[in-house]
Amino acid sequence: MFKTAHVLYKPTQKCLAVAKAISEKLRSSGIRLIVATVDDLQKVGEKPDLIVSVGGDGTFLLAAGLVGETDDTLILPIPCGRRNILYEEEADDIDTVVQRLAAGDFYVESIHRLKIGVKGEERLFLNEAVLINTNLGKIMGIRIEIISPWVVSHYSFEGDGLLISTSKGSSAYNLSARGPLVAPLIHSIVLTPLNPIELNSPSSVLPAFSTVIKMTPIRGSLNIFVDGQFFKNVSKGTEVTVSGSTGFLRVIRFKPFADLIGSSIRWRCVGH
């Protein structure tokens, strides 16, 4: 079923052992492999049929970043990190996982992503994009224009930053910033101001497929981080756009459902 695969793992002893074990099983099944840590992604070349993510949510986000908007690559998450919200809570053993892969005995979750663009350069994101002032000691100012068949709105605000979240990512940084928890099947763009000066600045939930959001810094320059990775520095007056992706990230699951709310609350309560 799979001819090529990349095994990406978090560089810890535990994750290395898991990566070795699943790599041996996949090779014995006749799959051509590239094995690399998430700190050494330059080794990853051609688009594989399968990406195995061995680690936590950070590893998963980096693996997802290798999959383009229209790629057919599947991601297999193997939990081995501190935070595993994007993984299944109770994973099968490696032998069972490989057997079910070979038999096609799994579900495929299609996850909607968003994309952010600056001057023609775009980046997909699975969780969130964050716009914050380059000078962390000062507030930022930004003008926002929302264009969709149902909503046309213009406003501006000042504060520490702006968080743009997907529905899937609404349980991450967005939830910590007191944004809404949105079911992944609702394809949306969630805008959450970070510590706005204007107290009446709630989060906004907008339809992803028919909405374009244009954001322009009006006070200071901004740094943009996409799924935890630096993307761009944007100067005053430079337009930033956000819209929905036309494709889906395809993730292998062995259960037909996920406990989004329970798992999101549990890892915050238990500790890290």
Side-chain angles (χ1 to χ4, degrees), residues 6-71:
H6 295 164
V7 177
L8 305 180
Y9 66 94
K10 182 179 179 179
T12 66
Q13 289 298 321
K14 178 182 177 182
C15 295
L16 173 60
V18 175
K20 283 184 176 179
I22 195 164
S23 295
E24 290 173 0
K25 296 293 182 181
L26 292 175
R27 281 199 179 99
S28 66
S29 300
I31 299 175
R32 291 187 291 112
L33 290 184
I34 293 178
V35 182
T37 73
V38 291
D39 297 330
D40 203 15
L41 293 182
Q42 65 269 22
K43 286 185 178 180
V44 178
E46 65 181 36
K47 297 292 184 182
D49 301 319
L50 176 70
I51 295 178
V52 182
S53 171
V54 181
D57 288 344
T59 303
F60 187 97
L61 291 174
L62 289 170
L66 299 175
V67 182
E69 189 168 11
T70 59
D71 289 347

Side-chain angles (χ1 to χ4, degrees), residues 1-2 5 33 37 43 81 90 97 114 132 139 217 221 243 245 256:
M1 185 174 185
F2 301 105
L33 290 184
T37 73
K43 286 185 178 180
E90 298 178 3
V97 166
L114 300 176
I132 58 173
I139 63 171
S221 61
S243 61
S245 169

Side-chain angles (χ1 to χ4, degrees), residues 46-148:
E46 65 181 36
K47 297 292 184 182
D49 301 319
L50 176 70
I51 295 178
V52 182
S53 171
V54 181
D57 288 344
T59 303
F60 187 97
L61 291 174
L62 289 170
L66 299 175
V67 182
E69 189 168 11
T70 59
D71 289 347
D72 292 328
T73 301
L74 289 169
I75 294 183
L76 171 62
I78 305 293
C80 182
R82 290 191 305 144
R83 298 183 181 90
N84 301 307
I85 300 298
L86 296 170
Y87 297 72
E88 292 180 316
E89 289 193 66
E90 298 178 3
D92 292 329
D93 61 82
I94 299 300
D95 287 336
T96 302
V97 166
V98 174
Q99 289 172 6
R100 293 186 67 174
L101 278 179
D105 181 19
F106 54 81
Y107 302 90
V108 176
E109 179 187 8
S110 296
I111 303 177
H112 181 248
R113 291 184 286 181
L114 300 176
K115 54 187 176 182
I116 187 167
V118 181
K119 294 182 177 179
E121 184 176 351
E122 291 186 332
R123 184 74 59 85
L124 290 165
F125 59 96
L126 176 62
N127 265 3
E128 71 271 313
V130 185
L131 283 64
I132 58 173
N133 200 325
T134 303
N135 186 341
L136 296 179
K138 295 184 179 295
I139 63 171
M140 58 156 269
I142 190 167
R143 182 173 62 252
I144 300 172
E145 180 181 5
I146 300 171
I147 304 170
S148 80

